[in-house]
Amino acid sequence: LQYSAAIPDRFVMFNTYRDGLGGAGHWVGPPYLFTTRREPGWAKDGKFEDPRERKNGSLPHEWAKYLGMYRHGPRAVLSYTVGDVAVLDSPWLEGAGDSRMVSRTIEIGPASQTLQLKVCDVERSTGKVDSVDGRSWLLLEQGGNITAIGLIADAKSTDRCQLRFSDKGEVIVEVGARDKLARLKVLVSTASKTSREDLTKVIKESAPPVDLTPFTKPGAAQWPEPLVTQGELGTGDGPYVVDTITAPYKNKHNALIRFGGHDFFANGDAAVCTIDGDVWRVSGLDGDLQDIAWKRYATGLFQPLGLKVVDDKAYVLGRDQITKLHDNNGDNEADYYECFNNDCKIGRHVHEY
């Protein structure tokens, strides 16, 4: 439950080993908008030390548990728990040019104790927290760059939210115990020292944190027009013939098509996952194959290599978890990617999955 890094203006590159499947994606060099050490994103009893062997697998469930991701148009909302506290967390990008900042709008349910969120790590730097009109910001100088972090809480949460900088270089947001929901926004970015005033301006002018509940409801379809291909029925009067179902290898999404698994919904449509992260809903497989419609059903999964439909829900096995896909408004696109199970331990070895 950690935001590890943000990289501006760079595509994440595929690993060249085994056509991208042999290792993690990567990017070439700095700059970073921010980075975070590899440890839990939320503290337990005031500590961020990782209790896991080799830092593999999910955190202990009593510490924190990832529940899933809502998709609403271009917005994504992560759902998880910290202890017994429910959290919604939605990333976005604000500002422009060198003053772009990653923002996180976070809703935290009632809590009986103080919660601590790790925003990023900025080692060997100096700075102090300033605050005006309920908005706090921290400007940290490191070499020729400056990392700006802002904290904006809604009126009901201002007195319970605090931004601080530890002697270990940790930027931390503390949210005090309370009996009501807390809503806040965190902004962070790194740029040259000449961008100091621009970054501060983004923090001061950023809109208050919005209610995330509407983004947990289904939105408009992202890929309303399916891709259409024509197949070919097998011929001959023997006991075994082969029908050819044509895949949309060249497509407007520039999506790679390498199949990992498939199964069928009750109406005969197929659910097909591709190793590069997509799930497609395929219809038109029960006729002359002249109108095969490929509708993108989900995307962004981590190397899905197996798929099973149970009670008309697609379950997808990836390297990270088993994802249960929900289409709550019937538009043939998944709008909630539920973490059905992520108790497996995931490493970086090529044979891990």
Side-chain angles (χ1 to χ4, degrees):
L1 300 181
Q2 174 210 78
Y3 282 38
S4 299
I7 307 96
D9 299 333
R10 295 178 184 271
F11 288 105
V12 176
M13 306 299 292
F14 288 115
N15 189 292
T16 57
Y17 184 51
R18 291 188 173 175
D19 296 312
L21 303 180
H26 65 281
W27 56 92
V28 181
Y32 304 94
L33 293 183
F34 68 87
T35 59
T36 312
R37 284 194 292 264
R38 190 181 176 193
E39 58 187 15
W42 292 78
K44 187 177 190 298
D45 299 326
K47 298 180 181 179
F48 289 96
E49 283 80 3
D50 197 327
R52 300 169 299 167
E53 180 183 1
R54 299 182 180 179
K55 300 184 178 181
N56 287 338
S58 58
L59 290 171
H61 292 178
E62 68 274 9
W63 183 324
K65 181 173 175 57
Y66 176 64
L67 302 179
M69 178 183 69
Y70 296 96
R71 293 293 302 270
H72 182 103
R75 296 296 297 248
V77 178
L78 308 176
S79 174
Y80 52 90
T81 57
V82 178
D84 59 355
V85 181
V87 179
L88 294 178
D89 186 342
S90 182
W92 199 244
L93 192 66
E94 300 187 21
D98 290 338
S99 61
R100 289 168 301 178
M101 303 192 75
V102 174
S103 72
R104 293 173 64 178
T105 299
I106 306 174
E107 291 185 0
I108 306 172
S112 59
Q113 61 183 4
T114 296
L115 299 181
Q116 294 178 316
L117 162 69
K118 170 79 78 68
V119 177
C120 62
D121 289 289
V122 189
E123 299 177 358
R124 299 182 299 278
S125 61
T126 58
K128 64 183 183 67
V129 177
D130 293 312
S131 182
V132 175
D133 296 331
R135 297 183 179 220
S136 302
W137 58 89
L138 174 63
L139 303 179
L140 299 172
E141 294 189 7
Q142 184 185 51
N145 293 327
I146 186 166
T147 298
I149 303 97
L151 171 62
I152 307 170
D154 66 3
K156 298 179 181 180
S157 309
T158 300
D159 61 339
R160 298 287 183 171
C161 298
Q162 179 182 358
L163 181 65
R164 68 178 183 87
F165 184 50
S166 77
D167 54 8
K168 295 171 59 178
E170 302 168 315
V171 179
I172 296 170
V173 171
E174 290 188 348
V175 184
R178 75 233 157 266
D179 57 4
K180 297 180 180 179
L181 179 142
R183 183 176 292 131
L184 56 104
K185 181 195 287 187
V186 181
L187 300 102
V188 58
S189 186
T190 299
S192 66
K193 286 184 179 180
T194 58
S195 301
R196 172 190 290 265
E197 292 185 3
D198 292 335
L199 292 170
T200 305
K201 182 179 179 182
V202 173
I203 296 171
K204 291 181 178 179
E205 297 182 355
S206 179
V210 299
D211 180 3
L212 293 179
T213 303
F215 298 121
T216 65
K217 311 299 182 185
Q222 290 186 280
W223 314 286
E225 298 298 327
L227 308 174
V228 179
T229 64
Q230 288 77 44
E232 183 178 349
L233 293 175
T235 60
D237 57 1
Y240 184 86
V241 295
V242 175
D243 297 338
T244 301
I245 299 169
T246 307
Y249 291 112
K250 293 184 178 181
N251 57 79
K252 60 186 178 183
H253 307 299
N254 289 325
L256 294 178
I257 306 292
R258 299 188 284 183
F259 298 121
H262 74 279
D263 201 0
F264 294 90
F265 293 105
N267 71 344
D269 289 356
V272 182
C273 67
T274 64
I275 299 172
D276 296 282
D278 290 316
V279 176
W280 299 84
R281 183 162 183 149
V282 188
S283 59
L285 302 179
D286 54 354
D288 60 8
L289 302 184
Q290 294 306 294
D291 189 19
I292 304 173
W294 296 76
K295 180 72 162 61
R296 204 178 202 176
Y297 191 74
T299 193
L301 282 75
F302 186 14
Q303 295 185 358
L305 288 174
L307 185 149
K308 179 69 176 176
V309 175
V310 180
D311 294 332
D312 244 22
K313 301 282 188 183
Y315 293 72
V316 188
L317 174 64
R319 287 185 68 164
D320 53 343
Q321 64 182 28
I322 298 173
T323 303
K324 181 180 180 181
L325 297 173
H326 299 259
D327 174 14
N328 291 319
N329 63 350
D331 63 356
N332 291 333
E333 289 187 12
D335 40 58
Y336 180 51
Y337 297 40
E338 177 189 350
C339 173
F340 180 75
N341 183 280
N342 67 350
D343 289 331
C344 54
K345 293 184 178 181
I346 297 300
R348 300 176 64 180
H349 194 274
V350 60
H351 293 299
E352 194 73 28
Y353 54 78

